[in-house]
Amino acid sequence: MQLDLKTIEALAPDQASLSAASKLTKRSNWPRLETNEQLGLIWGECQGSGSNPYRVAFDTGDHGYKCTCPSRKFPCKHILGLMWIGATAPASFDRVEQTPDWVNDWLGRRRRPGQPATQAAANSEGKSIDEASRPEQSAPVEDAVAAERREAAQRKRAEDTRSAVAAALDELDKWIADQLRLGLAGFVDACSERCRRIAARLVDLKATALAGRVDELPARLMALRGEEKPDAAIRELGKLVMLAKAWRATPDDPELKRLVSTSETREQVLANPDAVQVESDWEVLGEKIETRRDGLVSHATWLLDLKSPAPRFAVLLDFFPASAGRRSGAFAPGDRFKAKLVFYPSRNPLRALVVERLGDSAPGAWPAFGSDAAGDPLAAYAAFQDGAPWLSDCPVILPAGAIALDEKEGAWWQAAGDPHGIALPVAGSVNQTLLGLELAATAALWNGARLELLASQSNMGRLDLS
């Protein structure tokens, strides 16, 4: 079977579908799983909410699929679930040489690339499985009427999606107003249940990316101390309000669509002439791995441009079901390599894709751009928020400093040279061996309240802090 997890993620319509598919991979959900390896076909029956199971089929060669469920997502979660089993547990399929009639019927009626639908339907009657798998000899050009009809249907779907997302944002505004009216203390205590309800409603109205952000809000609040939670809640709710207002002003903005509804595919980003491409030397600063409430794992790999005169960062994002276990990453903290990256269109370009890896880069110290932030280490964060105030994590390069420990408040990063100067609280625990160590420069993520340390340069060399 020519199936892998990357193929499944590329075909998934959204992350919610991928998460739902991962929950369908239990053998009890599939009373029947079969494959014809010679033809590259897998099929099965998936138990749904009705009395009769759904019939699901997938062609591993050209990624064609068929499911009898009424879902409007293509491919649906049952197709993705079947593919997931094929990629991770191929031994679950019984190998057969004869395909059932409903699979033969589907394959016979399939429209081959370039083959008009009328011809495929005419050839389906009495067509054998071997005949159906042979490529057609010729493919007439699609007429203008059919092309115009398809484009009109695409415009109609885009308009329907925009209307649904607008309704989702209206409901989100009302929900936020209700939380403020009821009081932040009550919201913090019941945020898990309240956020889950509105997130489900946002998914129904096609604001899937925004739903994931709201669904993760309780986890971010629970990681804070009690006295910090109300401030963090009002800050996060405010960012949601600003994001909704920005989307209403420019609903076709690619960055806002990515944050509210769905993201572009890798192919769309690579084909975008406006996407920024940078070829340089990069260092892997660190990783941030989080298990989300929807069953997906978010794996962020932060990179630093070693040739840029000012600090420039990139983040490589990967999502996969938690049921797949920990993936072995392509990069490790401290790795240096030459590569060409393409950035997703954004006001503050951060998320990127590796277009081409050009080899390894020599080890060494970071450039001296850390000294530019000596006056205000958070100047980059202020500019970051001016451009996109609805975002949270901002990568920064801090000047010379050290990490100190307060028994009540936890760890703090303190600027060097002035004992009464700027000090920033650090999220999580810190290795005790780092306390008091002179750090020449430190890379971290600042969310407006706490630092997440990634890496530092010191007289002992590079320190991995992530």
Side-chain angles (χ1 to χ4, degrees):
M1 299 179 191
Q2 302 300 317
L3 277 177
D4 54 45
L5 302 182
K6 288 290 185 183
T7 300
I8 299 171
E9 293 171 358
L11 291 177
D14 51 51
Q15 295 172 7
S17 298
L18 194 63
S19 176
S22 67
K23 299 176 182 178
L24 284 177
T25 55
K26 296 180 180 178
R27 190 62 176 86
S28 58
N29 293 326
W30 298 84
R32 180 182 185 185
L33 286 170
E34 294 179 340
T35 178
N36 186 319
E37 293 185 337
Q38 183 178 1
L39 298 175
L41 295 173
I42 57 176
W43 64 88
E45 293 180 347
C46 182
Q47 189 61 52
S49 57
S51 57
N52 296 322
Y54 300 129
R55 289 178 168 179
V56 194
F58 182 76
D59 188 333
T60 61
D62 59 8
H63 300 166
Y65 51 82
K66 167 69 176 179
C67 182
T68 59
C69 78
S71 174
R72 295 184 180 180
K73 289 187 177 181
F74 305 99
C76 65
K77 63 181 180 180
H78 309 104
I79 293 292
L80 296 174
L82 183 73
M83 296 168 60
W84 193 265
I85 299 174
T88 60
S92 301
F93 292 83
D94 296 327
R95 289 164 174 75
V96 299
E97 296 182 359
Q98 297 296 326
T99 53
D101 291 340
W102 65 271
V103 176
N104 286 337
D105 180 63
W106 164 68
L107 192 62
R109 288 185 287 106
R110 286 189 61 200
R111 182 178 178 181
R112 294 293 177 181
Q115 177 187 3
T118 53
Q119 180 180 352
N123 292 343
S124 64
E125 186 174 357
K127 196 169 187 178
S128 69
I129 192 77
D130 292 333
E131 292 172 341
S133 61
R134 297 193 191 107
E136 298 294 333
Q137 297 297 324
S138 61
V141 179
E142 183 180 33
D143 56 53
V145 175
E148 183 178 354
R149 187 179 297 116
R150 186 181 67 253
E151 292 176 359
Q154 291 175 346
R155 290 194 297 269
K156 179 65 166 57
R157 286 195 297 270
E159 185 62 32
D160 291 344
T161 298
R162 180 183 296 182
S163 299
V165 171
L169 296 180
D170 290 341
E171 293 205 17
L172 179 65
D173 283 344
K174 295 177 182 178
W175 178 81
I176 292 176
D178 288 341
Q179 309 316 308
L180 298 178
R181 177 175 54 83
L182 295 172
L184 286 177
F187 171 72
V188 170
D189 293 338
C191 63
S192 181
E193 180 182 354
R194 295 185 187 182
C195 289
R196 176 55 61 90
R197 284 201 300 264
I198 186 61
R201 184 59 181 151
L202 294 177
V203 170
D204 294 339
L205 293 173
K206 301 184 180 180
T208 52
L210 189 58
R213 177 168 178 170
V214 173
D215 203 26
E216 291 304 306
L217 177 55
R220 293 195 293 271
L221 294 181
M222 292 305 107
L224 303 175
R225 296 197 301 268
E227 64 273 17
E228 296 178 312
K229 292 178 182 179
D231 288 342
I234 196 67
R235 185 168 56 249
E236 290 297 324
L237 294 178
K239 289 180 180 296
L240 294 177
V241 171
M242 288 186 286
L243 177 58
K245 288 185 176 180
W247 185 93
R248 291 188 181 97
T250 53
D252 293 326
D253 183 273
E255 178 185 12
L256 298 176
K257 289 173 65 177
R258 189 183 316 129
L259 295 172
V260 172
S261 53
T262 56
S263 177
E264 311 95 314
T265 64
R266 176 185 176 90
E267 290 72 22
Q268 289 173 328
V269 176
L270 294 176
N272 189 342
D274 297 328
V276 177
Q277 294 197 21
V278 177
E279 182 176 328
S280 184
D281 291 358
W282 304 89
E283 178 178 310
V284 180
L285 293 175
E287 299 176 316
K288 185 176 180 180
I289 302 175
E290 298 176 314
T291 301
R292 302 170 12 145
R293 295 181 72 194
D294 59 4
L296 292 180
V297 174
S298 169
H299 187 168
T301 303
W302 288 91
L303 309 178
L304 175 65
D305 187 348
L306 299 174
K307 290 186 176 181
S308 175
R312 175 160 56 192
F313 303 86
V315 59
L316 310 178
L317 281 181
D318 189 19
F319 298 93
F320 56 91
S323 58
R326 174 71 183 271
R327 282 193 185 180
S328 57
F331 306 99
D335 284 352
R336 289 193 170 197
F337 58 93
K338 302 177 183 292
K340 178 189 292 185
L341 269 59
V342 58
F343 287 81
Y344 284 70
S346 175
R347 292 160 180 79
N348 302 310
L350 275 180
R351 185 178 178 183
L353 298 169
V354 177
V355 179
E356 184 180 8
R357 189 163 176 171
L358 305 172
D360 295 332
S361 181
W366 294 345
F369 44 54
S371 59
D372 297 338
D376 183 3
L378 299 183
Y381 175 75
F384 183 85
Q385 287 290 288
D386 287 343
W390 47 81
L391 298 179
S392 296
D393 289 343
C394 172
V396 293
I397 294 290
L398 302 173
I403 299 175
L405 185 64
D406 184 287
E407 294 182 357
K408 294 182 178 180
E409 300 294 332
W412 290 73
W413 174 88
Q414 173 110 24
D418 181 4
H420 304 292
I422 187 171
L424 303 174
V426 176
S429 59
V430 174
N431 191 325
Q432 299 289 313
T433 60
L434 299 176
L435 299 179
L437 187 65
E438 295 182 2
L439 306 176
T442 300
L445 304 177
W446 175 251
N447 63 6
R450 286 189 173 273
L451 283 173
E452 291 190 53
L453 303 178
L454 295 175
S456 286
Q457 291 280 340
S458 72
N459 53 8
M460 298 174 59
R462 183 188 185 279
L463 301 175
D464 179 19
L465 306 179
S466 67

